[in-house]
């Protein structure tokens, strides 16, 4: 019996030598002249492009708010076709669930049914625009007022939606547009148009990447050449276990304030000593495996299957979600729509748990920043990322996510400023792995390598998790972390012309690119916003990894990443380049490759072991 096993294994091993070393689904060679590579932008032109992206995001967000609100108004009209009571109940529900809608007036058969309150304004703009809207609706025409400011400092518009079935009927409402201010500030930080985080906040210091050499961040451009760390923290990985006496000595020597621990790695905070002094102390006295600053990580926004493309009925899909058709999502859904058993973790600012377009898609998750609270989103970034991955599809609501069925696991590792420490990110990775994540999206990063974080990434990688990260939004070739770690799949951003997004970082470490320019998705307050950034590109790839693992659960993380590289649509110069990696993801091609995957020489031994293990079981 033992000889037959040896013979079988020998045949399999010999077969491995006959398999080509090149990927089975290698990108086709191009015969035409390669297009020119995008030239690096000057600081002035980069600023100009980023400001244009910011304005596009704000304009698109305003359109998303108006479009979705008009859809909600039509729901009231449809309910009124059944009964007055149902229409009034729909109005109450809308006001309760959408805090940005403050006043509604349903006009039916000459009667006015009002709910909510008109916002006070200095010259009664809310009243005059509301009367104009009622007049337009009575004549059967839609209405949208110019924006105006309330005495509370908020921005408002008045919308009117006529009833196409019953002339003279319609709905008028007052809509708060504070989301535009939120998007503006969010994107100024996300695209690094302003110093972020500002000096003196978060008890941090700005330094040259991978060093403790001070630098000052005065402008958004300076972010591309800076890392940030907590000024009185140090990360230490010891070579031995510490006794109580050891800990007592350390506490005394460093003027101890607090401590965090993962395994043999500690984050110490001193009441008075700064990072350089702490690092010197631990190197001299304790001979650790490594000691480093406690770095801060920031958000990084900035052939087909059988069957016809599947076009969702989500209200904002056809008009605003250019990104999904661009990467062949509609055809890919014929191969895989995802699986509840393949969990995608979102390490970010949290997620709005009761957003109507994310219902049934979220697991309970974890708040690493404040263990006593749920992982709710107090920034907007994480909710936007979640919608790209898994907003409900074909529910007639808002936007469509890439995955129909994969569950998402929110892990809040960034606080209400959109920043988080290496400790929180590392702890979030380990928690996500231990709680069933098979894919982890990290739309965050900075320019400092941290062995502490790298250990957590290795922990996930060795446990067969696919790790995806955004490259950054500084239009720099400087490697960003965690994206540049070899175990992590790094994502750059493209625009709707399949060009490098002006803000996207680049370099040899980029694996693929994905849409990241003015991406419509879910946003806190049960709203929708358009944001730009590699933070938006990364979840496209995380969702694809989830679909691949759903279509073929036998694939390892190495094989999933290989499929996404080899199936990418080549952009720029032929083959891998610094701007697009292997190209822009192609969902249908990747899923077709996954369902018929036979591996390469590099991954074949793992396949053999997995198949033998399954036979033995």
């Amino acid at each position: 019996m033992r000889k037959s096993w040896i013979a079988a294994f020998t045949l399999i091993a010999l077969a491995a030598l006959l398999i080509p070393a090149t990927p089975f689904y290698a990108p086709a060679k191009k015969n035409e002249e390669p297009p020119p590579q995008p030239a690096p932008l000057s600081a002035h032109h980069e600023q100009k492009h980023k400001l244009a992206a910011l304005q596009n995001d704000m304009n698109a967000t305003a359109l998303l708010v108006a479009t979705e609100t008009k859809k909600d108004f039509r729901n009231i009209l449809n309910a009124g076709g059944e009964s007055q009571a149902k229409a009034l109940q729909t109005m109450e529900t809308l006001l309760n669930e959408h805090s940005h809608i403050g006043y509604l007036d349903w006009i039916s058969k000459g009667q006015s049914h009002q709910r909510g309150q008109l916002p006070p304004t200095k010259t009664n703009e809310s009243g005059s625009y509301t009367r104009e809207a009622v007049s337009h609706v009575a004549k059967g025409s839609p209405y949208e007022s110019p924006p105006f400011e309330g005495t509370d400092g908020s921005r408002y518009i008045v919308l009117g939606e006529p009833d196409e079935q019953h002339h003279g009927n319609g709905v008028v409402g007052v809509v708060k547009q504070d989301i535009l201010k939120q998007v503006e500030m969010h994107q100024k930080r996300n695209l690094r148009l302003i110093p972020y985080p500002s000096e003196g906040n978060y008890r941090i210091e700005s330094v040259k990447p991978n060093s403790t050499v001070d630098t000052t961040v005065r402008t958004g451009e300076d972010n591309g050449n800076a890392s940030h760390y907590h000024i009185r923290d140090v990360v230490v990985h010891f070579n031995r276990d510490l006794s109580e006496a050891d800990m007592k000595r350390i506490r005394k020597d460093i003027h101890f304030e607090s401590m965090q621990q993962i395994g043999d790695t500690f984050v110490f905070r001193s009441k008075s000593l700064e990072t350089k002094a702490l690092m010197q102390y631990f190197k001299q006295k304790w001979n650790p495996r490594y000691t480093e600053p406690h770095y801060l990580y920031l958000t990084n926004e900035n052939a087909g299957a059988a069957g016809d493309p599947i076009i969702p009925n989500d209200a904002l899909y056809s008009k605003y979600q250019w990104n999904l058709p661009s990467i062949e999502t509609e055809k890919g859904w014929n191969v895989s729509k995802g699986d509840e058993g393949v969990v995608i973790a979102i390490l970010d600012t949290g997620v709005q748990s009761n957003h109507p377009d994310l219902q049934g898609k979220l697991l309970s998750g974890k708040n690493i920043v404040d263990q006593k609270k749920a992982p709710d989103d107090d920034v907007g970034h994480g909710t936007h990322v979640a919608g790209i991955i898994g907003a409900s599809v074909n529910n007639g609501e808002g936007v469509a996510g890439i995955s129909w069925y994969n569950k998402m696991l929110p892990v809040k590792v960034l606080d209400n400023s959109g920043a988080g420490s290496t400790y929180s990110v590392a702890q979030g990775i380990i928690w996500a792995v231990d709680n069933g994540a098979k894919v982890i999206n990290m739309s965050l990063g900075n320019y400092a390598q941290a062995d502490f974080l790298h250990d957590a990434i290795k922990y996930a990688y060795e446990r067969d998790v696919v790790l995806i990260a955004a490259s950054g939004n500084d239009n720099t070739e400087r490697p960003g972390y965690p994206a540049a770690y070899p175990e992590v799949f790094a994502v750059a951003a493209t625009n709707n012309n399949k060009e490098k997004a002006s803000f996207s970082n680049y370099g040899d470490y980029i694996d693929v690119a994905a849409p990241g320019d003015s991406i419509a998705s879910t946003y806190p307050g049960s709203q929708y916003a358009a944001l730009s950034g590699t933070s938006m590109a990364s979840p496209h790839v995380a969702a694809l990894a989830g679909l691949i693992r759903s279509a073929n659960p036998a694939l390892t993380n190495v094989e999933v990443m290989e499929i996404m590289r080899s199936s990418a649509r080549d952009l720029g110069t032929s083959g891998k380049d610094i701007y697009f990696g292997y190209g822009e993801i192609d969902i249908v091609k990747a899923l077709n490759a996954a369902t018929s995957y036979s591996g390469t020489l590099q991954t074949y031994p793992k396949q053999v072991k997995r198949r033998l293990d399954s036979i033995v079981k």
Side-chain angles (χ1 to χ4, degrees), residues 243-479:
S243 66
E244 272 299 320
D246 291 333
M247 290 302 300
K248 186 175 181 180
R249 178 185 170 191
I250 289 172
R251 288 188 177 97
K252 180 180 178 183
D253 289 349
I254 70 171
H255 304 156
F256 176 88
E257 180 180 311
S258 64
M259 180 191 77
Q260 297 171 305
Q261 178 183 1
I262 297 180
D264 296 326
T265 305
F266 295 76
V267 181
F268 293 103
R269 175 165 294 169
S270 169
K271 294 178 181 177
S272 57
L273 298 179
E274 295 196 357
T275 297
K276 291 178 185 178
L278 289 167
M279 289 175 65
Q280 185 176 12
Y281 163 78
F282 280 103
K283 285 178 181 177
Q284 290 177 350
K285 302 292 185 181
W286 298 93
N287 189 31
R289 184 181 303 176
Y290 62 78
T291 180
E292 64 189 11
H294 191 196
Y295 290 112
L296 200 65
Y297 283 75
L298 318 173
T299 61
N300 276 333
E301 301 264 325
N302 260 258
D308 295 329
I310 297 172
I311 312 299
N313 65 10
D314 300 79
L316 303 174
Y317 180 79
S318 296
K319 192 172 182 180
Y320 298 106
Q321 289 191 265
W322 65 269
N323 47 315
L324 269 60
S326 175
I327 53 176
E328 301 291 359
T329 310
E330 296 169 349
K331 295 178 182 177
W333 283 332
N334 284 297
V335 185
S336 173
K337 295 185 179 75
D339 187 290
E340 289 189 357
V342 178
V343 176
I344 303 173
I346 300 170
L347 269 65
D348 217 289
T349 60
V351 179
Q352 182 193 338
S353 60
N354 62 347
H355 196 292
D357 222 356
L358 298 173
Q359 294 306 296
K361 302 299 294 292
L362 298 171
L363 300 173
S364 57
K366 179 75 172 178
N367 188 332
I368 301 296
V369 177
D370 187 341
Q371 305 265 354
K372 297 176 182 177
K373 296 181 179 179
D376 292 325
D377 190 0
D378 44 17
V379 177
H381 191 268
T383 301
H384 199 272
V385 166
I388 294 170
I389 294 173
S392 297
V393 186
N394 260 356
N395 66 340
E397 181 85 35
V399 296
I402 293 173
S403 165
W404 294 48
Y405 302 124
N406 291 94
K407 295 289 188 180
M408 295 179 286
L409 185 68
V411 185
K412 184 174 176 60
V413 299
L414 306 179
D415 66 13
N416 59 10
S417 72
S421 68
T422 47
Y423 175 85
S424 62
V425 177
Q427 190 178 7
I429 290 170
I430 293 169
W431 187 90
V433 173
D434 291 346
N435 285 272
K438 298 303 292 180
V439 178
I440 295 177
N441 183 78
M442 296 177 286
S443 290
L444 48 84
N446 211 322
Y447 298 104
Q449 297 189 61
D451 290 333
F452 181 35
L453 177 61
H454 199 181
D455 285 347
I457 284 169
K458 291 174 183 175
Y459 177 87
Y461 183 79
E462 290 163 0
R463 285 157 181 77
D464 195 35
V465 176
V466 180
L467 297 138
I468 314 290
S471 62
N473 302 325
D474 292 308
N475 185 42
T476 180
E477 195 169 2
R478 185 183 299 281

Side-chain angles (χ1 to χ4, degrees), residues 140-152:
S141 60
Y143 177 84
E144 182 171 338
S145 76
F148 59 93
E149 188 172 316
T151 56
D152 58 357

